[in-house]
Amino acid sequence: MAPISEILSIGIRYLLYVFLIRCVLVYGYRIFLHPLHNIPGPFVARFSDWYGAHHAFLRRGHEVTYQNHRKYGSVYRHGPNKLVFNTVQALHDIYQNDRLSKSRAYLATKPHPTISNLFNVLDKRLHRTKRRVIGQGINDKAMREFEPLMLSHIDTFVRSLVKSASSTNLDATEPKVVNMTPAIKSLTLDTITHLAFGSPLSLQTQPQRHPYFLRGLAIANYRTNMYIQFPVIKHFDYIERILYPFMWTSQKTFYRTLREMIGQRAMQGKVEGKKDLYEFVRDVKDPETGEGLGMADVWSEAAFLVPAGGDTTATALAATLHYLSHSPSAYTRLAREIRTTFTSASDIRLGPKLASCSYLRAVIDESMRLTPPTPTTLWREEIPSRIKGEKKEPLVVDGIVVPPGTEIGVSIYAIHHNAEYFPEPFAFRPERWLPGETFSDAKGLKKDEAERQRKLTLEAFTPFSLGPRGCAGKAMAYSETSLVLARLLWCLDFERPGANKNRDAERESMGKVPEFRVKDQFSALTEGPELVFRKRGEAWREMFEDEDRAE
Ligand code: HEM
């Protein structure tokens, strides 16, 4: 009888042969016979999802996708069963299509198989119910009711910038350089936690209480993105615990803080006159069972709503400040609009006056176009028919027949830089959003050509995505960004430390404002901008009136 070691070695060799044959068959099929084999794309992506995982790991999926479109055209193969498109037609065909739902990869972000939140629920009926109920807490009406509390956080933010500023002249005293990413995130997270749980996290006023919250949030986003891009990795999260223990603990701290906030809110029960998001979430009932949500579900909703509402708005604001600090003409025009529309800081409220600030809206939109807060590709998939053997029309996206089981999407970053829809795609041109105005590349177009161009521009602009799974917090995002920028520019002027206005003006006129680059981890990870502030005349004093009175 052969010794055990010989049997083992034969066994291993045999398994290796089987593995190699399987690889040859599977990869050979994916490269040469797969229904998508004719669609161009990077070679590795044709046979392995490691391609997407690798770029998600390095947080550069958005820029790689943009480059790939330049190389391969308006559609390319991003994985064996993944297609990315880059046209307005595809945006419509994918995100406004009843036959499609979020891809099953979103399921990997569920904390438990039976627990879902508004972000990762795939069942359409449950999604509609959750969206209807939770949406009431973040729609226009809710924002008008929440406005005084939102303004109190914005004023805390502006006051801290005033305190960092020199008196009148930037050269006279040394103003403090402010890193805007943590400052803005503290503001937006205080705001969303106040809206969600009826009291804020107080990151602005007591940052020492939650030193790891921002880091934990960033890591939670990173993991969410890795799971969506490469769901298999979820099964190996213990490797992460061993290799990156600090990452793991920061993220746990973030979740623990949320749990504590929910616990404190739950202890208060129903509070008369208070309708925070917690109340709305507790009202959600499963349409099939009629049962309400348990604490684990409430936690899961919070774990999504806090980053959804806090992180994205922070990116929009940081990007806008970056572009303004590089664009003297846009800065001057916006400051003039704010300072001539309102009569005091407290006059800056939601309503017709703020809505009339069209340049403000153009600046925010142009900043979100260049640096979308969610720069990624939002994957969708055809829902398999419940009826066995049912024959469906083939799914066609932008003229391409998409086989069942294919994940498809449009990269928000890539389409926002598609020159067909946005002439001078890397230039900061708020005028492109203003009807009747034009800029260098659009000059000389005939009226009907200009109108066609404008229509395409509007259709291709998709920072909030679109369709039934588009952003539910758009009203909150525009309310918050507009109020912050308007109150800030009422009280202060700002610039980059050591900015050279002449050089900036020259670069701006040539369309060479540097991009506010971010890392793609589903939502964007930002750094900076670093800015210095200068008090504006006596306008800022109003912010301190309550404090002065209290003294
Ligand atoms: C500039 C700020 C914002 C941007 C750019 C943005 C962008 C987006 C995008 C692209 C999606 C779709 C995600 C996907 O398909 O997987 C989304 C979904 C969502 N966003 Fe926002 N968002 C912003 C602010 C907010 C705010 C302030 C809230 C309020 C809590 C919010 C709540 C939501 C919700 C609840 C969804 C899920 C909608 C659903 O699936 O039905 N967002 N957002």
Side-chain angles (χ1 to χ4, degrees), residues 212-345:
Y212 300 111
F213 191 84
L214 293 184
R215 194 181 157 85
L217 168 66
I219 291 164
N221 287 344
Y222 180 57
R223 295 177 84 230
T224 299
N225 190 42
M226 282 307 293
Y227 289 173
I228 292 179
Q229 304 303 334
F230 197 53
V232 178
I233 207 160
K234 189 172 184 180
H235 303 300
F236 300 98
D237 68 352
Y238 59 87
I239 297 180
E240 184 193 351
R241 286 183 221 193
I242 299 165
L243 290 181
Y244 306 106
F246 184 66
M247 263 174 72
W248 183 255
T249 16
S250 305
Q251 187 189 272
K252 283 274 157 212
T253 317
F254 162 68
Y255 287 139
R256 196 179 53 238
T257 311
L258 286 184
R259 223 171 254 128
E260 281 165 9
M261 291 202 85
I262 295 167
Q264 282 162 11
R265 178 63 188 87
M267 276 190 330
Q268 293 173 8
K270 215 173 175 71
V271 181
E272 211 42 58
K274 198 180 221 176
K275 208 57 177 142
D276 47 24
L277 275 177
Y278 175 86
E279 282 283 317
F280 287 108
V281 170
R282 293 303 322 242
D283 282 352
V284 174
K285 299 258 184 304
D286 188 307
E288 269 178 21
T289 62
E291 282 178 20
L293 299 186
M295 279 316 274
D297 299 86
V298 176
W299 173 82
S300 170
E301 294 296 351
F304 160 63
L305 283 170
V306 168
D311 241 9
T312 45
T313 314
T315 303
L317 279 166
T320 308
L321 293 176
H322 165 92
Y323 290 115
L324 285 172
S325 73
H326 280 277
S327 317
S329 76
Y331 183 100
T332 310
R333 183 168 171 185
L334 179 61
R336 196 184 321 120
E337 180 176 82
I338 301 299
R339 294 167 189 173
T340 53
T341 304
F342 300 98
T343 52
S344 64

Side-chain angles (χ1 to χ4, degrees), residues 371-392:
T371 303
T374 312
T376 195
T377 305
L378 304 170
W379 297 110
R380 300 293 186 258
E381 200 180 338
E382 187 171 16
I383 316 161
S385 172
R386 287 179 184 221
I387 308 157
K388 225 175 157 198
E390 186 197 16
K391 276 250 173 275
K392 279 188 180 176

Side-chain angles (χ1 to χ4, degrees), residues 62-368:
H62 61 321
E63 290 176 349
V64 166
T65 304
Y66 166 79
Q67 293 297 350
N68 281 338
H69 280 303
R70 283 180 67 91
K71 196 162 169 192
Y72 301 110
S74 64
V75 54
Y76 80 88
R77 202 171 166 196
H78 187 81
N81 295 310
K82 284 181 169 177
L83 294 182
V84 196
F85 293 81
N86 194 23
T87 61
V88 160
Q89 183 62 47
L91 260 185
H92 169 80
D93 290 349
I94 295 174
Y95 298 99
Q96 289 173 315
N97 189 335
D98 261 359
R99 284 174 64 176
L100 301 179
S101 80
K102 281 192 168 180
S103 101
R104 275 168 292 180
Y106 279 77
L107 295 177
T109 69
K110 288 168 70 157
H112 185 272
T114 60
I115 296 171
S116 60
N117 60 33
L118 193 47
F119 175 69
N120 55 32
V121 60
L122 298 197
D123 179 80
K124 288 203 170 188
R125 283 210 308 162
L126 185 54
H127 169 256
R128 261 198 304 272
T129 309
K130 279 181 185 253
R131 172 124 182 177
R132 184 167 34 77
V133 180
I134 297 173
Q136 294 169 54
I138 41 183
N139 62 18
D140 280 306
K141 183 169 168 283
M143 280 311 106
R144 282 193 297 277
E145 284 168 20
F146 182 63
E147 186 188 11
L149 293 175
M150 185 187 273
L151 284 173
S152 72
H153 294 295
I154 294 174
D155 288 353
T156 306
F157 173 71
V158 175
R159 270 197 298 274
S160 79
L161 297 180
V162 170
K163 285 176 187 163
S164 79
S166 63
S167 51
T168 50
N169 182 341
L170 280 174
D171 303 325
T173 51
E174 250 339 276
K176 201 174 142 205
V177 177
V178 184
N179 180 357
M180 296 311 289
T181 283
I184 296 173
K185 280 213 170 145
S186 302
L187 158 68
T188 53
L189 288 164
D190 275 356
T191 312
I192 187 69
T193 46
H194 205 156
L195 179 72
F197 311 116
S199 60
L201 201 52
S202 304
L203 287 174
Q204 291 203 94
T205 48
Q206 295 170 295
Q208 69 286 357
R209 276 180 59 199
H210 305 290
Y212 300 111
F213 191 84
L214 293 184
R215 194 181 157 85
L217 168 66
I219 291 164
N221 287 344
Y222 180 57
R223 295 177 84 230
T224 299
N225 190 42
M226 282 307 293
Y227 289 173
I228 292 179
Q229 304 303 334
F230 197 53
V232 178
I233 207 160
K234 189 172 184 180
H235 303 300
F236 300 98
D237 68 352
Y238 59 87
I239 297 180
E240 184 193 351
R241 286 183 221 193
I242 299 165
L243 290 181
Y244 306 106
F246 184 66
M247 263 174 72
W248 183 255
T249 16
S250 305
Q251 187 189 272
K252 283 274 157 212
T253 317
F254 162 68
Y255 287 139
R256 196 179 53 238
T257 311
L258 286 184
R259 223 171 254 128
E260 281 165 9
M261 291 202 85
I262 295 167
Q264 282 162 11
R265 178 63 188 87
M267 276 190 330
Q268 293 173 8
K270 215 173 175 71
V271 181
E272 211 42 58
K274 198 180 221 176
K275 208 57 177 142
D276 47 24
L277 275 177
Y278 175 86
E279 282 283 317
F280 287 108
V281 170
R282 293 303 322 242
D283 282 352
V284 174
K285 299 258 184 304
D286 188 307
E288 269 178 21
T289 62
E291 282 178 20
L293 299 186
M295 279 316 274
D297 299 86
V298 176
W299 173 82
S300 170
E301 294 296 351
F304 160 63
L305 283 170
V306 168
D311 241 9
T312 45
T313 314
T315 303
L317 279 166
T320 308
L321 293 176
H322 165 92
Y323 290 115
L324 285 172
S325 73
H326 280 277
S327 317
S329 76
Y331 183 100
T332 310
R333 183 168 171 185
L334 179 61
R336 196 184 321 120
E337 180 176 82
I338 301 299
R339 294 167 189 173
T340 53
T341 304
F342 300 98
T343 52
S344 64
S346 52
D347 189 28
I348 299 173
R349 309 281 308 261
L350 296 178
K353 268 194 188 179
L354 193 62
S356 75
C357 293
S358 52
Y359 197 69
L360 173 64
R361 175 65 178 257
V363 164
I364 296 171
D365 282 349
E366 182 66 347
S367 303
M368 285 200 291

